[in-house]
Amino acid sequence: MSALWQRGRCRSCGAAIDPIHWQMEAAALAIGVSAGLVAPGAAGMAGAAFGWLLLALAALDWRAFWLPDRLTGLLAAIGILGAMADVPPPMADRLVGGALGFGLLWAIAAGYRRWRGREGMGGGDPKLFGAIGLWLGWRMLPAVLLVAALIGLGVVVARRLAGRPMAADDALPFGTLLAMAAYPAWLMMIGALA
């Protein structure tokens, strides 16, 4: 049952429910409504599934630096199914986007590891970007990557202004940033086609 409906308290014991639950519910509602408004029907349902999976992945990465392969794989599989159901973009663009998204971030991570001698990106980030490419196609990937990087830069600036500067080895959940950039990109892409 909804944390908001229960006024932030557990129904059985009365303990406070972490506010993240009602925030996730509100975000999921906004995703479903926006997908339905931009693309009613099958495309909207596919878009809502895209957004909800991105929301779950973003939350897991933000809280635990974890992008489960099962969720990322499901995101990728539904992206392929979307093309089979004639939801734009076409299959060829999606396949190139999947390969390019994965390959680009994998190459960046491998290059950083070789150059610095340590990990700079988790193994789930290239998989997530590949799955996003299977949804958006290759043409949207540069914009998603740029927006994700700008959001990350905004987080760093906000932390600095709050008096909590980040060190060079502090980590940001890049999967969260990619997810935050990808869903609005899908809305814009589908909205432009409508």
Side-chain angles (χ1 to χ4, degrees):
M1 179 153 297
S2 169
L4 189 60
W5 181 263
Q6 295 191 193
R7 294 181 230 152
R9 296 274 174 206
C10 176
R11 183 176 43 180
S12 59
C13 71
I17 297 173
D18 187 338
I20 191 74
H21 292 284
W22 71 261
Q23 294 164 357
M24 293 287 290
E25 290 171 2
L29 177 63
I31 287 167
V33 168
S34 62
L37 290 174
V38 169
M45 288 188 288
F50 179 54
W52 292 328
L53 284 167
L54 286 173
L55 177 63
L57 287 160
L60 287 168
D61 200 29
W62 184 261
R63 304 272 295 213
F65 287 95
W66 181 45
L67 293 168
D69 286 344
R70 285 184 181 185
L71 281 181
T72 307
L74 181 60
L75 185 71
I78 296 174
I80 296 294
L81 291 175
M84 296 168 96
D86 289 329
V87 175
M91 181 68 87
D93 285 1
R94 288 176 186 247
L95 293 175
V96 171
L100 186 63
F102 175 81
L104 177 65
L105 285 193
W106 182 88
I108 290 171
Y112 184 87
R113 188 179 326 107
R114 186 175 183 93
W115 177 48
R116 299 291 303 259
R118 63 184 167 103
E119 294 296 325
M121 182 182 302
D125 296 324
K127 295 173 193 172
L128 176 60
F129 201 42
I132 289 169
L134 288 171
W135 274 90
L136 301 178
W138 64 272
R139 289 178 177 88
M140 295 294 289
L141 290 182
V144 170
L145 192 57
L146 176 63
V147 170
L150 290 173
I151 293 169
L153 184 59
V155 169
V156 171
V157 169
R159 285 188 60 157
R160 184 165 182 88
L161 292 175
R164 299 178 313 190
M166 294 189 71
D169 60 347
D170 284 348
L172 275 178
F174 195 56
T176 299
L177 306 177
L178 289 171
M180 290 172 68
Y183 186 67
W186 180 85
L187 289 173
M188 289 174 38
M189 179 184 71
I190 295 298
L193 297 173

